[in-house]
Amino acid sequence: LRLFFASLVFLPFFILNKEKISKNDFIKASLIGIIQFGLMYLFYIRAYHYLKGSEIALLTTSTPMFVTIVSSIYSKKIDLFQTFLTILAIAGGLFVVFKENAFHFAIVGVIFMELSNWTFALGQILWKKHVNLNSAKMMFPAYSGACLIALVPCLLFSDIKSIALTPWQLTSILYLGLIPTGLGFYLWNSGAKKASDTTLAVMNNLKIPVGALFAIIFFGEKINLKSFSIGFLIILTAIIASILYGKKKSKRESI
């Protein structure tokens, strides 16, 4: 439902521009959507069967590493400074969410989370490298592909007849589909096409302190202010350094 609602947000853009979208572009965007959104959500939600929310938050910090790996495969070389900034962003994320008992993971849950991180990272780079058209009109096939792949296990393993959503639950799903998934990932993929691979990698962990901040403001959760501050500053340093490094690298390559 979340992915279905997200696809509806971009259906008008697709209808208005469908003559400009080739069959190849449609298939390409759909396949990337299957990877980046469909498989990512399947693995991510399944991980909650084995892990606590804090443990899942901790494990999402490895996403920049996967972005860097995929980027290095594409460029056929390892950028040591880019790798360092990625490690710095991961360290910052760990500072924000670390708890003493956070390493008591169920191995199956860890595998699901790393598969989730890997598919999301792979999807970002594939979108950046292979989707040349405006993101708004291409998000409909991406979300449609994701929705279809998520529908398969839903039909196979869910007791559809027993599902009875309350108005509040339906409102929550509608919000998740329209705002964080629909609008959020559209903005994310649009930004990914404009940012360097290094910046894209480290920005994946900025959502951790931002998420923690929202949890404090709206849900009254308590955090370790010292760890939060250190982690946020580390991630911010990595982001600024990646932007400056990207500009310097682009200038050097243009000479």
Side-chain angles (χ1 to χ4, degrees), residues 63-74 77 82 86 118:
T63 305
M65 176 182 67
F66 291 121
V67 173
T68 299
I69 290 171
V70 177
S71 174
S72 298
I73 291 171
Y74 263 91
K77 63 179 181 180
Q82 177 178 306
T86 301
W118 171 255

Side-chain angles (χ1 to χ4, degrees), residues 211 213-222:
L213 200 60
F214 270 80
I216 297 165
I217 296 170
F218 293 105
F219 301 108
E221 291 186 11
K222 294 181 179 180

